[in-house]
């Protein structure tokens, strides 16, 4: 049975191909752009960001209008701090497939890291218009944190929480975003927010997943504490995030700037 569009995107995002096997396959089929995408993902998972960018670029020589290759390269350019180039690649991906909200989502992160916060929020809202409501926790999280921390608009932050159902059922990969949504909407207390035994049970079973989720969650807790006037709690959340840093995580990249502003690192 053919994969659904959502299943295909999840597969593309979460694939962890073995580097040696992909290289062996490319030796047999060097003109297969899908294999160059797999190589980019394998190199990315191995922590070689620049080589991943090169692999996606090589694939684009073979398939210049492949949305996933532009998407893959745009994500890695974003991590490397090349935000305008990332925005360009991710914009082209959205033009090639306007039905895939994930392309728009990653452009929003590029806009945000570039300091273009209103543009980022418009893209996150655009994602919500395309995505299934159960997939919206990530977008609402970034809307809320952007309105609180960068745009200093608590009214719009609160309004963003009504953009998805209060009792949303998210996919497993959105554990941390959903947990943040529960915190922002008062469905879980600050004290019960981080529950490691529950995370070990419910998070995706991939290497480093709990640390990645905690980067999101501590950034969300930081924003929540700022919104509620708990400055000591805000600093503590940033300190905990820095201890379990995942450098490529959007939440870490955002948090690091605030930690420096607050003299925490």
């Amino acid at each position: 049975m053919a994969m659904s569009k959502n299943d295909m995107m999840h597969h593309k995002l979460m694939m962890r191909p073995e580097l040696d096997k992909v290289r062996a396959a490319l030796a047999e089929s060097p003109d297969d752009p899908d294999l160059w995408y797999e190589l980019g993902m394998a190199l990315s998972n191995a922590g070689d960001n620049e080589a991943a960018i090169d692999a996606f670029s090589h694939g684009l020589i073979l398939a210049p209008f492949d949305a996933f290759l532009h998407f893959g390269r745009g994500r890695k350019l974003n991590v490397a701090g090349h935000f305008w180039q990332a925005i360009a690649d991710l914009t082209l991906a959205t033009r090639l497939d306007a039905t895939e909200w994930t392309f728009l989502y990653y452009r929003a992160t590029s806009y945000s890291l570039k300091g273009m916060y209103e543009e980022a929020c418009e893209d996150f809202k655009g994602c919500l218009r395309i995505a299934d409501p159960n997939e919206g926790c990530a977008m609402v999280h970034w809307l809320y944190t952007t309105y609180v921390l960068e745009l200093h608009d608590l009214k719009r932050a609160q309004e963003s929480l009504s953009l998805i159902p209060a009792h949303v059922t998210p996919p497993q990969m959105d554990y941390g975003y959903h947990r943040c949504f529960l915190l922002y909407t008062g469905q879980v207390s600050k004290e019960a927010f981080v529950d490691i035994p529950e995370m070990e049970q419910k998070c995706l079973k991939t290497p480093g997943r709990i640390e990645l989720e905690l980067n999101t969650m501590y950034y969300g807790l930081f924003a929540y504490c700022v919104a509620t006037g708990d400055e000591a709690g805000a600093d503590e959340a940033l300190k905990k995030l820095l201890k379990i840093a995942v450098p490529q995580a959007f939440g870490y990249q955002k948090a690091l700037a605030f930690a420096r502003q607050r003299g925490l690192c």
Side-chain angles (χ1 to χ4, degrees):
M1 182 183 295
M3 285 192 293
S4 69
K5 192 173 183 61
N6 275 350
D7 288 343
M8 181 184 296
M9 175 52 75
H10 183 268
H11 172 71
K12 291 275 191 178
L13 279 171
M14 302 305 296
M15 66 164 53
R16 302 187 69 85
E18 294 182 32
L19 191 53
D20 290 343
K21 288 184 178 180
V22 178
R23 283 178 168 153
L26 272 169
E28 296 293 325
S29 304
D31 295 333
D32 185 340
D34 289 337
L35 287 175
W36 284 102
Y37 180 87
E38 290 188 26
L39 180 62
M41 290 299 294
L43 290 164
S44 175
N45 292 332
D48 195 340
N49 202 61
E50 291 301 320
I53 291 170
D54 288 345
F56 292 128
S57 298
H58 195 132
L60 283 165
I61 293 171
L62 302 168
F65 300 109
D66 186 299
F68 279 105
L69 284 165
H70 282 288
F71 163 66
R73 188 171 68 176
R75 287 175 71 200
K76 295 297 101 182
L77 286 166
N78 203 18
V79 172
H82 303 307
F83 303 128
W84 278 125
Q85 296 96 318
I87 290 165
D89 257 332
L90 293 163
T91 296
L92 185 49
T94 67
R95 297 292 193 274
L96 292 166
D97 186 350
T99 70
E100 183 46 69
W101 64 264
T102 308
F103 299 161
L104 201 59
Y105 175 87
Y106 278 93
R107 188 177 71 173
T109 70
S110 296
Y111 275 138
S112 182
L113 290 167
K114 185 63 179 172
M116 302 170 69
Y117 304 119
E118 292 288 0
E119 289 86 350
C121 287
E122 284 306 305
D123 270 2
F124 286 129
K125 290 175 186 175
C127 293
L128 288 168
R129 290 190 287 271
I130 302 170
D132 184 278
N134 288 334
E135 298 172 317
C137 288
M139 287 74 97
V140 169
H141 165 76
W142 294 117
L143 285 167
Y144 178 88
T145 56
T146 302
Y147 286 135
V148 169
L149 298 170
E150 280 116 355
L151 295 174
H152 312 293
D153 191 333
L154 294 182
K155 181 175 183 291
R156 282 200 287 174
Q158 193 63 34
E159 289 171 351
S160 70
L161 301 178
S162 65
L163 295 174
I164 58 175
H167 301 293
V168 64
T169 303
Q172 187 182 17
M173 68 184 297
D174 283 355
Y175 173 89
Y177 292 123
H178 182 235
R179 198 73 177 165
C180 288
F181 179 68
L182 295 177
L183 176 69
Y184 306 151
T185 54
Q187 297 179 71
V188 66
S189 70
K190 183 170 62 175
E191 294 71 25
F193 176 56
V194 176
D195 185 335
I196 299 298
E198 183 189 83
M199 294 182 74
E200 290 172 344
Q201 178 184 2
K202 294 185 176 180
C203 289
L204 287 173
K205 303 300 189 289
T206 55
R209 188 69 196 188
I210 288 179
E211 290 78 6
L212 182 62
E213 298 285 12
L214 286 171
N215 275 242
T216 295
M217 292 169 64
Y218 281 128
Y219 186 69
L221 181 59
F222 165 60
Y224 176 79
C225 288
V226 170
T228 56
D230 180 3
E231 291 298 323
D235 282 349
E236 186 62 24
L238 285 177
K239 290 175 183 176
K240 288 181 177 178
L241 194 162
L242 294 176
K243 287 181 180 177
I244 44 85
V246 177
Q248 71 270 25
F250 184 39
Y252 172 76
Q253 293 175 65
K254 300 292 289 182
L256 185 58
F258 285 107
R260 287 171 174 158
Q261 288 174 18
R262 297 168 82 93
L264 301 176
C265 66

